[in-house]
Amino acid sequence: MDIAQARNDLEALMTDTVRVSRTAGQPVLDPVTGEPGETPTSVVYEGPGAVLSSHGQIVVSQILGFDWLSEGAAWYRLVTPVGAPVAMPGDLVEVTAVGADGRTGRIWLAEDATEASTVEICRTTRLTERITFAPSTI
């Protein structure tokens, strides 16, 4: 396998622009309501990447012709170039511009420290989708 070519092929599929943000302090309480405001964050990475569903991860394996995620698929996974900084547990991942419809504005939480794939062609991070609101069921 030509690792440089595999890296180029995979990076060509990173058509999203992703932003990875990290908590940078405590939220300020509203003096009237006593409720916390937004938690301040700082951007640790913004650039090319892809947020892939489990189906997308399988499709990418088929396109590349080899198992680039030998540790297995997650429900969602952030894929960034090897040169991107490491995403840490609890980092927020947001798609700010998208190559495929439906992901802009959605936010995920990084579940574990970023891993280099076994053939070192990308960084991958397992994600959990963050639910920002839920209708009352009561």
Side-chain angles (χ1 to χ4, degrees), residues 5-90:
Q5 184 60 51
R7 183 179 302 123
N8 289 337
D9 291 347
L10 185 58
E11 287 180 2
L13 298 173
M14 294 182 199
T15 58
D16 297 337
T17 300
V18 296
R19 178 183 302 137
V20 179
S21 302
R22 190 164 293 150
T23 300
Q26 297 294 322
V28 177
L29 294 179
D30 182 312
V32 175
T33 66
E35 294 182 10
E38 290 290 318
T39 301
T41 60
S42 63
V43 175
V44 294
Y45 175 74
E46 186 160 5
V51 173
L52 299 174
S53 66
S54 54
H55 176 73
Q57 295 167 59
I58 293 167
V59 169
V60 168
S61 291
Q62 292 171 344
I63 290 170
L64 294 178
F66 65 92
D67 183 12
W68 62 284
L69 284 174
S70 62
E71 70 272 4
W75 282 106
Y76 292 99
R77 190 175 292 275
L78 169 66
V79 183
T80 54
V82 172
V86 173
M88 300 304 292

